[in-house]
């Protein structure tokens, strides 16, 4: 606190200048009260600072609660979205129509493709969407590890395979991102390298998957971003579309009492 004291020679009074409402106002205290008056200034400053800090602390607590509440809702929505990738996907149809073996690795490749499409959509929703993407990937790896344990895979082999799948995941994400921004030839090349593991002998299978990814990305883009952040509910189009006109008719999400 700014404080100016002016001492006038040959005068017994002392003029004290204190800031009031951004101005300096002279105050002349009675004799004998100088020491007691100055001793009160720091205490007043501390009390004002304490009140201000309490107000700021209250604001910080409110913002913190709002932040954690929002993050909790996003985590629930992320879990639901990942669950949609593994429970609402017709894996048998992929095995049959794409002529890929019914193995754990094939399951992972199909799941990876659908998780990537969710990431593409949610990255458009700013910071909340990007945070949700990280949570979705986290749930995916937890699920992969748990499924490996249930299948009785040796822990050493499982850990080694997790490292390989992690490398494959990030390589696939980069390839798919480049493919979706390119033409159908670029997307087909990315799917051929990752999804089919460079072993697709029938080009019709590749064309079918390219069409599926294009229409699914378009379908996800038609969904409301705020609804996806709240519910995380995603429905997938069939691999072979019976009614092409229904691709853009996204179903309205449902909410419970907590707005989730």
């Amino acid at each position: 606190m700014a404080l100016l004291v002016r001492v006038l020679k040959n005068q017994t009074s002392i003029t004290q200048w204190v800031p009031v409402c951004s101005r300096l106002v002279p105050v002349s205290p009675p004799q004998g009260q100088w020491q007691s008056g100055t001793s009160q200034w720091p205490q007043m400053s501390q009390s004002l600072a304490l009140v201000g800090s309490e107000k700021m602390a209250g604001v910080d607590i409110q913002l913190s609660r709002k932040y954690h509440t929002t993050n909790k809702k996003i985590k629930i929505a992320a879990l639901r979205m990942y669950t949609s990738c593994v429970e609402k996907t017709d894996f048998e149809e992929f095995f049959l129509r794409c002529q890929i073996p019914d193995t754990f690795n094939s399951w992972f490749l199909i799941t990876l493709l659908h998780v990537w499409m969710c990431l593409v959509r949610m990255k458009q929703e700013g910071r909340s969407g990007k945070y949700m993407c990280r949570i979705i990937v986290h749930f995916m790896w937890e699920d992969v590890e748990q499924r490996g344990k249930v299948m009785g895979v040796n822990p050493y082999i499982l850990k080694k395979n997790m490292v390989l799948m992690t490398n494959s995941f990030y390589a696939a994400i980069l390839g798919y991102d480049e493919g979706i921004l390119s033409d159908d030839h670029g997307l087909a090349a990315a799917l051929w390298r990752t999804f089919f593991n460079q072993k697709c002998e029938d080009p019709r299978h590749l064309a079918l998957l390219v069409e599926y990814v294009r229409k699914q990305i378009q379908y996800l883009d038609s969904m409301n971003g705020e609804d996806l952040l709240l519910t995380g509910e995603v429905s997938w189009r069939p691999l072979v579309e019976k009614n092409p006109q229904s691709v853009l008719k996204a179903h309205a999400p449902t909410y419970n009492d907590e707005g989730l």
Side-chain angles (χ1 to χ4, degrees):
M1 179 183 293
L3 178 63
L4 296 178
V5 178
R6 185 179 63 182
V7 180
L8 301 180
K9 295 181 179 181
N10 300 324
Q11 295 184 8
T12 58
S13 64
I14 299 177
T15 302
Q16 169 194 351
W17 295 80
V18 296
V20 178
C21 298
S22 302
R23 296 185 303 168
L24 292 177
V25 178
V27 178
S28 299
Q31 293 183 357
Q33 294 184 0
W34 174 260
Q35 295 295 332
S36 61
T38 55
S39 64
Q40 296 301 318
W41 295 342
Q43 297 178 8
M44 292 174 61
S45 301
Q46 292 174 3
S47 62
L48 291 174
L50 181 59
V51 172
S53 63
E54 290 178 351
K55 292 181 178 179
M56 290 300 296
V59 173
D60 291 340
I61 291 174
Q62 292 178 358
L63 291 176
S64 178
R65 288 177 179 175
K66 182 178 180 181
Y67 175 79
H68 288 296
T69 301
T70 302
N71 282 357
K72 182 179 179 180
K73 291 182 178 180
I74 291 178
K75 288 181 179 180
I76 296 174
L79 178 59
R80 288 177 176 173
M81 185 167 289
Y82 173 73
T83 303
S84 299
C85 293
V86 296
E87 292 188 356
K88 295 184 179 181
T89 301
D90 191 346
F91 289 90
E92 294 296 333
E93 186 179 19
F94 278 88
F95 296 148
L96 177 63
R97 295 189 178 276
C98 296
Q99 293 297 302
I100 56 178
D102 184 357
T103 62
F104 180 76
N105 185 64
S106 296
W107 171 89
F108 174 72
L109 292 175
I110 297 172
T111 301
L112 187 157
L113 180 64
H114 289 80
V115 167
W116 165 73
M117 288 189 284
C118 289
L119 300 183
V120 171
R121 178 61 185 89
M122 298 316 300
K123 285 180 181 178
Q124 303 176 36
E125 300 304 319
R127 292 182 60 185
S128 297
K130 293 179 180 178
Y131 175 74
M132 187 171 178
C133 289
R134 295 196 298 269
I135 303 302
I136 292 173
V137 174
H138 171 75
F139 284 132
M140 182 192 72
W141 291 123
E142 281 194 344
D143 186 36
V144 170
E145 184 176 7
Q146 185 63 30
R147 288 174 185 267
K149 292 179 180 179
V150 171
M151 294 175 63
V153 180
N154 181 278
Y156 173 77
I157 297 177
L158 178 60
K159 183 177 180 180
K160 185 177 180 180
N161 289 340
M162 288 286 292
V163 174
L164 295 176
M165 285 188 290
T166 301
N167 295 334
S168 299
F169 172 78
Y170 289 109
I173 292 298
L174 292 175
Y176 288 157
D177 283 346
E178 182 180 359
I180 198 65
L181 296 175
S182 181
D183 56 12
D184 287 347
H185 295 285
L187 180 57
L191 291 169
W192 177 75
R193 288 192 304 266
T194 302
F195 188 88
F196 290 101
N197 198 23
Q198 304 180 11
K199 295 179 181 179
C200 181
E201 299 179 356
D202 191 339
R204 292 176 297 180
H205 299 159
L206 193 57
L208 177 63
L209 202 57
V210 169
E211 180 185 357
Y212 174 77
V213 171
R214 291 291 188 193
K215 72 180 180 183
Q216 191 62 62
I217 291 292
Q218 185 181 16
Y219 183 66
L220 291 174
D221 284 341
S222 69
M223 297 181 179
N224 184 274
E226 294 183 358
D227 292 336
L228 291 175
L229 287 171
L230 283 174
T231 66
E233 294 181 359
V234 174
S235 57
W236 302 101
R237 306 303 307 178
L239 186 58
V240 177
E241 197 69 48
K242 296 180 180 179
N243 181 16
Q245 297 297 327
S246 65
V247 172
L248 294 181
K249 295 181 180 179
H251 298 286
T254 56
Y255 301 92
N256 58 24
D257 294 336
E258 297 180 356
L260 298 176

